[in-house]
Amino acid sequence: MKKRILFLNIITFGLFHLIASAKAKKKFNGKNKLNEVGKIPFSIEDFISKLGGIENIISSSATINVLTVIVKNNSNIVKNDFSNFKIKGFMKTGDKIILTIGDIANSINLEIKKRI
């Protein structure tokens, strides 16, 4: 009797696992939304010009929401210049410009790296 109950429990949980996995795969649909490259809602040329032009940019890097740009000269870069780009955070330290920009940070980073 105990073996039969144990066997039925294993079958029940196994079926539950298969059904839950199938539903999760159907809902997920194979796309990873965090790593998806988003469309940039503004002109990348205008954004780069606010950073002093492509010749002023040494390198750039990005995390999910933050874009870090290393520039040669940051004296003419002003926070208010970025108001059209919906920047959520702006920090200037030495030769680094750190911008909290949201999901499009990686897309902007790729566009900057293409032009460097």
Side-chain angles (χ1 to χ4, degrees), residues 78-97:
V78 182
K79 178 182 178 180
N80 294 337
D81 291 346
F82 293 94
S83 61
N84 296 340
F85 305 113
K86 298 180 182 174
I87 303 294
K88 296 172 183 97
F90 179 92
M91 190 167 69
K92 186 163 65 165
T93 60
D95 59 350
K96 276 187 186 179
I97 308 295

Side-chain angles (χ1 to χ4, degrees), residues 12-49:
T12 303
F13 286 118
L15 289 174
F16 175 73
H17 175 70
L18 290 175
I19 292 169
S21 295
K23 284 185 178 182
K25 284 180 184 177
K26 187 182 272 187
K27 189 174 184 178
F28 182 65
N29 201 16
K31 294 180 181 178
N32 189 349
K33 299 288 183 188
L34 290 177
N35 292 332
E36 208 171 79
V37 177
K39 184 179 177 203
I40 302 170
F42 49 80
S43 169
I44 192 69
E45 286 80 18
D46 291 343
F47 186 80
I48 290 173
S49 70

Side-chain angles (χ1 to χ4, degrees), residues 60-115:
S60 68
S61 63
T63 60
I64 293 174
N65 291 320
V66 178
L67 175 70
T68 303
V69 182
I70 299 175
V71 294
K72 295 176 186 171
N73 180 11
N74 72 358
S75 62
N76 56 354
I77 299 172
V78 182
K79 178 182 178 180
N80 294 337
D81 291 346
F82 293 94
S83 61
N84 296 340
F85 305 113
K86 298 180 182 174
I87 303 294
K88 296 172 183 97
F90 179 92
M91 190 167 69
K92 186 163 65 165
T93 60
D95 59 350
K96 276 187 186 179
I97 308 295
I98 302 168
L99 303 161
T100 306
I101 197 160
D103 295 340
I104 58 171
N106 196 37
S107 300
I108 295 171
N109 181 42
L110 293 174
E111 289 296 324
I112 289 173
K113 287 191 181 222
K114 283 181 192 175
R115 289 167 168 78

